[in-house]
Amino acid sequence: MLPQGHPIGTPDADGPGGDSSKVDTLTGVTSELSSLERDIEETRVRLASTIDQLTYRASPKTIINREITSIKAFFIAQDGSPRTDNILKVVGGVVGVVAVFVTLRKITN
């Protein structure tokens, strides 16, 4: 005979008459794992999207196109007309630089 209070003589969740708390715990753990798996998969998708965006933004072709668009926007208004104020500023700057070089060249010769 087993002494009274021995674990084999007492009912537990593994045998008949045990409570279902272990089953509920396993169900909770399973649902938590599936939730974590979903979170990990969503994070992977977001990271993949972010990497694709960064790859696109860092592409030399994209950078060149972005800069060309920026320069065009400086010289051409949205309605397609030339922005004469900006054009005149740039032409004036170029003429000024050329004048400085010509003057320096005459002085040094």
Side-chain angles (χ1 to χ4, degrees):
M1 284 202 61
L2 295 173
Q4 191 172 0
H6 192 275
I8 293 178
T10 58
D12 60 2
D14 293 335
D19 63 82
S20 64
S21 64
K22 286 187 180 180
V23 174
D24 290 341
T25 303
L26 288 177
T27 304
V29 169
T30 304
S31 67
E32 187 175 323
L33 285 176
S34 64
S35 173
L36 286 172
E37 288 173 348
R38 275 193 309 267
D39 289 347
I40 289 170
E41 186 58 33
E42 289 171 2
T43 303
R44 283 183 186 150
V45 170
R46 282 195 312 268
L47 284 174
S49 174
T50 302
I51 289 171
D52 290 343
Q53 289 173 1
L54 290 174
T55 302
Y56 174 75
R57 289 181 187 175
S59 165
K61 190 181 260 187
T62 304
I63 293 170
I64 290 170
N65 288 336
R66 190 172 49 231
E67 291 304 315
I68 288 172
T69 302
S70 172
I71 292 169
K72 282 183 181 179
F74 185 76
F75 291 111
I76 300 173
Q78 287 183 350
D79 63 356
S81 63
R83 298 177 79 182
T84 54
D85 56 333
N86 288 342
I87 294 171
L88 291 175
K89 289 176 192 175
V90 171
V91 169
V94 169
V95 168
V97 168
V98 169
V100 167
F101 280 126
V102 168
T103 305
L104 287 175
R105 194 160 183 115
K106 284 185 179 183
I107 292 174
T108 58
N109 286 338

